Amino acid sequence: MTNPEILNALAGAVIDMDEEAARTAATAAIETGMPAYEAITEGLVKGMQVVGDKYEQQEYFIPEVLLCSDAMIAGLEILQPHLPVDHNAGAEKVVIGVVQGDTHDIGKNLVKIMLEAAGYEVHDLGRNVPLASFVDKAEEVGASIIAMATLMTTTMEGMRTVVEELKSRGMRERTTVMIGGGPISQAFADEIGADLYAADANVAVRKLKNRQVA
Amino acid sequence: MTPKERVLGCLQGTKIDRLPSAPLVLNHCSRVAGVPVSRFNSDAEVMGKAQVAAWKRYGYDIPLMFTTTASVAEAMGTRLFFPEDDAPWVEQPVAEDPANLAKVKVADPWKDGRLPVYLNAAKHVVAEIGEQVFVGCIFAAPFTTASHLRGTEAFIRETYKNPGLVNELLDLSKASALALIDAMADIGVVPVIVDPVASSSLIGPRQFEKFAMPRINDIVARAHARGMPICLHICGISRPIIELMADTGADILSIDRIDMAEVKSLVGHRACLLGNVQPAETMLKGTPASVTAEVKAIIESAGDSPRGLIVSTGCETPFNAPPENIEAVMTATRLYGQR
Ligand code: B12
């Protein structure tokens, strides 16, 4: 296979939810000496971007997106050992979770998948996360981004508490707070002083990438 | 007209005084009774009395019994967590480890989990006000129940990766649902099946048709065989599956985020429609004025739907919504829903 063919095969395997094909194409990439970094960003991740678009257009739904991400991970597992040791040294760290009182976690999981595909190092706290844990974890791992999700109006106020907690620990300036989920809006983000709001997982990645790091 | 005559007239297409109104006032009944949600959903007497009190307070046309979509799964072995004063959630799906599949058992509605709480509460409500109203009992359809037995994300993934397991869990869930339909027929309450996990917010029409729908069809058929109408509620996004929902034969389609004029033209000739004031944006955060405006818009869009319209909320009215907003649904229906 030529390099463009391999890249197409990697992207196609992700789009077709085909783990086996992803492994085969990843192995071919290594065998032809293609840099693993290129195979990931120009192959697997490109495929995942197409998946994101198909999701936005209601051609794919959640199970399909999850299986595409499984195929991406299958390819990554083969490629990752071939990355230069320091490839991810500069990766920004994100702490993500669903705020206390809420157990809807599928949207958050999609955001996590997209962030990882975009090269972030993601620390997932899961769902029904005690509010202080967001700040504790960010401090522990040195994360510059806290991403919070909720789908319920009854729990969204918890996000404000986390922003306040960051302030009181003197971490507000160096932490980007990104929020999302059904009832969340730009207006709510402004109101509680969060930095970013995104309506879906693709936009979340775009906004994070485009933000101006102070 | 009594609420019962009004709802019957609506379903049968005979003359009614005004459109029926049945906002999904569920866990909110605990507010009217002044008890924490966790007491409301674990004691049949408390639940029954709270339901009657809420009906007397608001005067809607169908009281509906409910606390969580996970009640059937609980009766089949899943462990729930009950916050002191909020709706419960799934703590430990019984078949989170598929090795535990054998531990999943078909629910006995009069014995297992909190199903007896609902059924006995429903019996109480029927005894108190059943002359005047139809009492509805809400429970999860098999796809949603099965997702609570296995864990939602694993379950929807396995519609591709392990359809055998999915079908097994669905059939067990269906058996529980059929037993519940029979129990409800015995005490004269109308079943409402809810399938949020089968909505297009999560799965697409293909998976819906393959996995969720065949079981819904069987449940609808059983309700009809027992001489009862049945309501199918799918909250979240439902536009891609609205025609399939009508194909199930459910008498009433309860819908959430969808344009009512469009629903009317697509399926209004096949089922009565129920919806769809926005639960969070309008019922919880809105004012009586915004509720009124939304009810008016819904009636303008679908008040003349061929098989009828029941004015309601798209999903559960958040339990801490202001009472004025629930009253506003009723007042606005009386105002704009005259027939
Ligand atoms: C599936 C579902 C469930 C499943 C959840 C399974 C799971 N493990 O997640 C089950 C059946 C368990 C469930 C339970 C309940 N649910 Co529910 N559920 C839904 C439903 C139908 C779809 C949600 C979903 O997963 N969508 C798909 C995902 C992919 O979309 P998403 O989460 O919005 O995510 C996207 C964006 O929002 C964004 N995003 C998400 N997170 C983040 C985070 C960041 C940082 C960013 C930037 C972006 C972002 O990107 C995502 C992908 O593009 C919605 C209906 C609806 N209208 O949304 C109700 C809904 C969320 N549920 C609701 C309720 C009330 C409940 C219950 C309380 C019901 C009950 N009485 O038992 C319980 C919750 C108990 C609790 N405390 O947690 C209400 C919430 C009302 C409110 N606003 O307060 C809704 C809105 C239904 C309604 N119309 O009333 N539910």
Side-chain angles (χ1 to χ4, degrees):
Chain A
M1 280 202 273
T2 65
N3 280 6
E5 276 169 359
I6 291 173
L7 292 177
N8 271 338
L10 285 165
V14 171
I15 298 166
D16 294 342
M17 312 175 228
D18 191 337
E19 289 179 36
E20 224 14 82
R23 283 191 204 100
T24 310
T27 310
I30 300 301
E31 279 166 2
T32 57
M34 179 189 293
Y37 181 77
E38 188 185 335
I40 293 172
T41 53
E42 300 302 314
L44 295 174
V45 171
K46 278 263 157 64
M48 210 55 206
Q49 282 162 356
V50 174
V51 172
D53 294 341
K54 283 181 183 286
Y55 172 69
E56 269 177 42
Q57 288 148 23
Q58 292 198 340
E59 189 182 329
Y60 277 4
F61 295 83
I62 310 295
E64 290 80 11
V65 176
L66 293 173
L67 293 190
C68 293
S69 101
D70 289 350
M72 178 180 73
I73 290 165
L76 276 178
E77 275 167 3
I78 291 179
L79 294 169
Q80 248 157 1
H82 298 274
L83 286 169
V85 214
D86 62 346
H87 79 280
N88 216 16
E92 271 196 279
K93 293 177 186 165
V94 184
V95 168
I96 195 169
V98 178
V99 299
Q100 192 158 33
D102 190 355
T103 63
H104 293 91
D105 60 356
I106 292 171
K108 180 269 294 169
N109 293 347
L110 284 192
V111 175
K112 175 187 171 187
I113 288 168
M114 290 302 184
L115 287 174
E116 283 179 338
Y120 292 92
E121 180 183 321
V122 183
H123 297 263
D124 185 2
L125 297 174
R127 57 191 200 170
N128 186 25
V129 176
L131 300 174
S133 303
F134 285 98
V135 187
D136 293 344
K137 191 73 187 180
E139 194 161 22
E140 179 197 324
V141 302
S144 54
I145 301 160
I146 290 182
M148 289 180 281
T150 190
L151 264 68
M152 307 210 316
T153 13
T154 41
T155 45
M156 56 198 274
E157 282 301 316
M159 294 177 167
R160 189 194 304 270
T161 311
V162 174
V163 174
E164 295 307 320
E165 179 71 15
L166 279 172
K167 282 187 195 152
S168 74
R169 292 205 212 169
M171 292 164 63
R172 185 65 193 93
E173 295 306 311
R174 60 182 144 100
T175 315
T176 298
V177 176
M178 178 169 74
I179 60 176
I184 307 303
S185 61
Q186 185 61 53
F188 182 71
D190 296 342
E191 184 192 321
I192 67 167
D195 302 291
L196 295 174
Y197 157 76
D200 72 44
N202 275 352
V203 177
V205 171
R206 234 175 284 147
K207 286 203 174 171
L208 262 191
K209 290 265 174 206
N210 293 342
R211 82 191 199 280
Q212 312 211 292
V213 186
Chain B
M1 272 189 149
T2 65
K4 200 172 200 167
E5 290 163 343
R6 189 173 295 122
V7 170
L8 205 61
C10 175
L11 291 178
Q12 296 180 338
T14 54
K15 174 99 185 100
I16 46 177
D17 55 351
R18 64 159 169 86
L19 296 176
S21 185
L24 306 182
V25 175
L26 314 172
N27 286 300
H28 175 83
C29 296
S30 66
R31 298 307 85 164
V32 179
V35 294
V37 174
S38 60
R39 242 175 81 56
F40 166 77
N41 60 28
S42 50
D43 182 327
E45 199 185 323
V46 173
M47 182 183 272
K49 285 187 171 155
Q51 283 280 353
V52 173
W55 179 76
K56 290 193 167 145
R57 163 92 164 74
Y58 298 114
Y60 37 72
D61 290 297
I62 316 176
L64 292 159
M65 322 292 297
F66 179 80
T67 191
T68 162
T69 56
S71 298
V72 185
E74 184 189 26
M76 297 176 73
T78 281
R79 196 169 73 239
L80 306 189
F81 174 76
F82 287 79
E84 163 71 8
D85 197 21
D86 206 338
W89 61 69
V90 170
E91 173 133 299
Q92 177 74 54
V94 54
E96 184 161 48
D97 176 353
N100 289 336
L101 189 62
K103 291 192 185 152
V104 180
K105 55 175 186 126
V106 174
D108 177 343
W110 290 105
K111 281 216 189 83
D112 293 327
R114 280 166 184 75
L115 296 179
V117 174
Y118 294 100
L119 292 174
N120 285 317
K123 251 168 109 171
H124 173 84
V125 181
V126 171
E128 291 284 311
I129 56 177
E131 292 276 292
Q132 303 161 67
V133 294
F134 288 115
V135 178
C137 220
I138 305 181
F139 66 100
F143 198 85
T144 293
T145 294
S147 82
H148 293 319
L149 298 172
R150 177 76 182 100
T152 308
E153 193 175 312
F155 182 74
I156 60 175
R157 224 192 201 101
E158 284 162 349
T159 59
Y160 284 97
K161 284 196 162 168
N162 193 351
L165 178 64
V166 166
N167 281 319
E168 234 171 300
L169 289 168
L170 283 170
D171 286 335
L172 291 163
S173 303
K174 185 182 93 177
S176 299
L178 292 177
L180 262 166
I181 293 282
D182 286 337
M184 289 179 192
D186 292 342
I187 59 172
V189 302
V190 176
V192 177
I193 51 173
V194 298
D195 222 350
V197 178
S199 74
S200 311
S201 294
L202 296 187
I203 67 168
R206 252 179 306 136
Q207 305 301 87
F208 179 82
E209 197 172 359
K210 200 158 154 192
F211 295 101
M213 189 174 163
R215 278 80 187 188
I216 297 175
N217 291 342
D218 291 347
I219 293 168
V220 169
R222 175 72 66 101
H224 288 166
R226 296 291 313 254
M228 293 184 298
I230 184 166
C231 172
L232 171 62
H233 168 86
I234 298 191
C235 53
I237 300 169
S238 57
R239 173 64 188 83
I241 52 169
I242 190 70
E243 280 145 310
L244 295 173
M245 287 173 68
D247 290 342
T248 64
D251 305 87
I252 306 173
L253 299 180
S254 163
I255 48 235
D256 183 17
R257 298 191 169 190
I258 191 165
D259 177 60
M260 287 301 261
E262 199 183 0
V263 179
K264 176 182 75 177
S265 72
L266 289 170
V267 298
H269 54 292
R270 293 162 71 195
C272 174
L273 308 179
L274 186 143
N276 66 347
V277 179
Q278 299 183 79
E281 298 78 352
T282 311
M283 293 305 290
L284 180 66
K285 302 211 131 181
T287 59
S290 57
V291 173
T292 303
E294 205 169 324
V295 168
K296 181 165 181 266
I298 291 167
I299 294 176
E300 277 167 7
S301 306
D304 60 349
S305 191
R307 298 283 300 268
L309 169 74
I310 299 174
V311 177
S312 180
T313 50
C315 195
E316 174 169 10
T317 301
F319 77 95
N320 47 359
E324 309 83 79
N325 287 354
I326 301 173
E327 281 162 3
V329 175
M330 302 309 304
T331 314
T333 311
R334 286 188 198 105
L335 191 60
Y336 300 109
Q338 296 298 325
R339 293 293 97 170

